Amino acid sequence: MSTKTKAIRGMRDVLPDETPIWQWLENKLRRLTFRYGYNEMRLPLLEPVSLFERSIGEATDIIAKEMYNFTDKSGEHVTLRPEGTSGCMRAVLENNLCYNKTQRIWYQGPMFRYERPQKGRLRQFTQFGVEAFAMKGPDIDAELIFMVRDLFQELGLTQYVRLELNSLGTLEERQQHREQLLLWFEAHRDILDEESIKRLETNPLRILDSKNPAMQSMLEQAPKLLDYLNEESRNHFNTVCQIIDCAGIPYTINPRLVRGLDYYTRTVFEWITDELGAQGTVCGGGRYDGLAELFNPKALPACGFAIGIERLLLLIQTLQQNDNPLWHFSANVVITNEMNDDGLYAQTIAEKIRSNINALSVVVDCSGSKLKRQHHTARQNQCQIIVTINKDHTLRMWDLSGAQQLTIGEKELINWLQKYYQKFLG
Ligand code: HAM
């Protein structure tokens, strides 16, 4: 009996049909990081469990329920990274990258969280992340928001996403707020659901994040962290708002925006869409000035954001009005073959075209199927030119855009293609 092997739940293949749209988006992201002067960092997928326990916080859902932990052969407790910020901070400290200088860094790659899979929520997903180190002013927080705004603008998504902002203050300010919040929740304990009662002990701030309709009006009236900010934190937040006001970026201040990771201080933000159902947060980020001190004697101000690539692609595809040819791979030239010569001549011609015009993609139909079928496949795959090698060794060329066809010699064919693709050749 055969047993079918399937991908693990919540982990999906990106099939060859889908990779062109990934690459199209990745090119835009690369261009964005270049325009803002950010440099790529490539980080390991495996890190020590303790890195995330300390950075993300033991009481968070990620650490409590969602980690892919295991013990490796040397007995070390390691995990598949659930996010990129902690590893990025580790690498910056370990390699002393901020010795007398600032750093602007980006990364992209798979992250792993054992969550309940649903639309827009996977167990292996891809983040594009940006982190800025050793800059403590509000201007860099605003710069990150500019970057995301630029991306959404370029993708034509501006009207489908909204920006929410909050300040989580410093540790001390949060402590004072926490005391008042606990008193408030104790006074309304009868309204709290089971999950929130558990969070009273571990992470009361996260109760503010609850979507339970029965709790909403009580949560709306709960003490707001913004009222506990000291002058410095308030000024920081006001300046972030001022800078993005000047740039004309609309936003709302959401005092209940708390984020799901414990390392944040001061500015936090999310870009949310209503087009994807429950998993509407496309981008999340903020400042995490206290994180370095968990690992290092010296403080290192930092802030950043991450975008879920699968969610962003889902949004683009949900809203897609017109199909974009760049979202599909199609060869420029397909060589179809009627000769019975094991493809010898077809491969030779293909190589000649490639070496003369290296900007083109040239694909030989090696399927061995009938000529009619080869043509059908080439047209279905939306190639631009078909070159057929006839039984008698002659070449026939079809320009599918102009529907012109002609019998042509080898040299003429290369000249013709060179003229036709002049625009690619510069
Ligand atoms: P996060 O909000 O946990 O933040 O994740 C950032 C983004 O990753 C989310 O907005 C979402 O688009 C995507 N994402 C998260 N979980 C999943 C999932 N299970 N399936 C699909 N997409 C998902 C962070 O990870 C922080 N490290 C962001 C950051 C960078 N803060 C400062 N610097």
Side-chain angles (χ1 to χ4, degrees):
M1 199 176 71
S2 74
T3 47
K4 269 197 187 156
T5 313
K6 283 181 151 184
I8 293 171
R9 198 161 114 82
M11 306 203 175
R12 55 182 297 274
D13 306 302
V14 179
L15 299 174
D17 269 2
E18 300 170 85
T19 44
I21 191 169
W22 278 73
Q23 289 164 350
W24 167 85
L25 179 59
E26 284 160 0
N27 284 338
K28 292 201 180 296
L29 294 171
R30 280 214 175 86
R31 180 89 201 122
L32 180 76
T33 56
F34 168 76
R35 287 176 49 235
Y36 280 83
Y38 284 70
N39 235 326
E40 187 183 2
M41 174 125 90
R42 300 192 182 188
L43 295 155
L45 300 195
L46 280 185
E47 296 275 7
V49 176
S50 56
L51 170 69
F52 299 106
E53 285 174 346
R54 284 159 79 186
S55 62
I56 298 177
E58 305 221 26
T60 58
D61 283 350
I62 299 181
I63 298 299
K65 308 183 205 158
E66 298 168 2
M67 297 282 277
Y68 278 91
N69 296 350
F70 63 98
T71 307
D72 74 6
K73 288 186 176 150
S74 68
E76 188 170 358
H77 296 295
V78 296
T79 193
L80 286 170
R81 61 183 187 185
E83 56 108 42
T85 308
S86 310
C88 194
M89 174 63 95
R90 177 204 46 71
V92 164
L93 296 176
E94 190 173 336
N95 297 288
N96 218 2
L97 297 187
C98 286
Y99 184 71
N100 280 344
K101 59 177 179 217
T102 60
Q103 288 286 348
R104 285 178 161 89
I105 292 169
W106 70 272
Y107 51 85
Q108 190 201 305
M111 309 292 161
F112 302 84
R113 296 183 192 175
Y114 192 79
E115 293 193 80
R116 197 169 48 78
Q118 61 181 86
K119 182 180 164 194
R121 189 158 75 191
L122 293 155
R123 289 182 176 167
Q124 176 179 330
F125 58 98
T126 314
Q127 276 186 352
F128 164 74
V130 164
E131 315 288 354
F133 294 95
M135 289 167 266
K136 63 179 177 15
D139 48 348
I140 191 75
D141 307 16
E143 176 178 298
L144 296 173
I145 290 169
F146 288 178
M147 279 181 93
V148 187
R149 187 274 312 258
D150 274 15
L151 178 69
F152 288 140
Q153 220 161 34
E154 160 126 31
L155 296 173
L157 298 177
T158 313
Q159 67 188 105
Y160 304 102
V161 286
R162 60 176 191 278
L163 171 62
E164 291 191 358
L165 278 184
N166 192 17
S167 174
L168 298 184
T170 61
L171 208 61
E172 297 74 46
E173 289 152 11
R174 264 208 308 278
Q175 195 54 41
Q176 283 174 16
H177 170 248
R178 186 190 155 109
E179 283 163 21
Q180 295 309 308
L181 200 59
L182 278 173
L183 289 175
W184 175 265
F185 287 145
E186 283 303 343
H188 297 86
R189 203 181 172 91
D190 51 325
I191 308 177
L192 296 180
D193 57 20
E194 209 179 314
E195 184 69 28
S196 303
I197 291 187
K198 271 195 228 147
R199 284 197 162 135
L200 271 181
E201 305 287 319
T202 55
N203 200 349
L205 200 62
R206 280 302 302 278
I207 300 177
L208 293 174
D209 216 15
S210 166
K211 303 282 177 290
N212 183 343
M215 288 166 50
Q216 295 310 302
S217 93
M218 178 274 291
L219 293 175
E220 285 299 331
Q221 295 165 56
K224 296 187 175 38
L225 220 165
L226 285 173
D227 296 330
Y228 291 79
L229 301 187
N230 68 20
E231 203 182 334
E232 210 183 326
S233 289
R234 210 167 321 120
N235 284 343
H236 186 104
F237 189 55
N238 289 342
T239 312
V240 175
C241 295
Q242 230 171 19
I243 301 175
I244 55 179
D245 279 337
C246 283
I249 303 175
Y251 60 90
T252 50
I253 295 175
N254 174 1
R256 285 173 51 191
L257 177 66
V258 294
R259 310 275 301 128
L261 308 100
D262 277 358
Y263 49 60
Y264 290 106
T265 49
R266 295 199 169 146
T267 320
V268 286
F269 58 89
E270 286 186 352
W271 294 82
I272 302 161
T273 179
D274 293 326
E275 309 290 326
L276 296 181
Q279 305 308 313
T281 309
V282 183
C283 169
R287 183 161 274 286
Y288 47 97
D289 292 339
L291 180 56
E293 281 167 283
L294 299 177
F295 304 100
N296 199 44
K298 246 179 105 183
L300 179 63
C303 55
F305 67 80
I307 293 176
I309 299 287
E310 287 84 355
R311 272 189 207 173
L312 183 55
L313 284 174
L314 208 57
L315 182 61
I316 293 168
Q317 284 165 323
T318 305
L319 299 170
Q320 150 187 355
Q321 308 273 320
N322 301 308
D323 199 23
N324 183 333
L326 296 174
W327 298 350
H328 310 279
F329 172 77
S330 49
N332 300 114
V333 180
V334 169
I335 317 270
T336 60
N337 193 6
E338 205 182 19
M339 278 184 83
N340 199 6
D341 68 345
D342 292 331
L344 181 78
Y345 187 42
Q347 290 290 2
T348 311
I349 292 277
E351 269 305 273
K352 278 192 186 154
I353 302 174
R354 286 188 200 109
S355 61
N356 278 282
I357 322 173
N358 66 12
L360 298 191
S361 75
V362 184
V363 173
V364 179
D365 188 318
C366 301
S367 65
S369 44
K370 295 235 163 63
L371 191 63
K372 203 169 159 196
R373 174 102 219 135
Q374 294 181 37
H375 273 242
H376 179 71
T377 311
R379 282 170 193 273
Q380 234 181 6
N381 292 338
Q382 297 181 341
C383 77
Q384 292 154 348
I385 309 287
I386 302 179
V387 176
T388 300
I389 302 177
N390 297 315
K391 266 192 190 130
D392 61 1
H393 219 265
T394 56
L395 302 177
R396 189 150 188 83
M397 192 204 71
W398 274 262
D399 165 9
L400 296 181
S401 62
Q404 88 175 284
Q405 37 166 312
L406 43 131
T407 301
I408 198 164
E410 246 182 68
K411 268 204 179 136
E412 273 177 282
L413 171 68
I414 288 172
N415 286 339
W416 191 94
L417 290 173
Q418 245 153 359
K419 272 208 196 109
Y420 188 85
Y421 287 108
Q422 201 66 44
K423 56 181 188 290
F424 284 128
L425 308 173

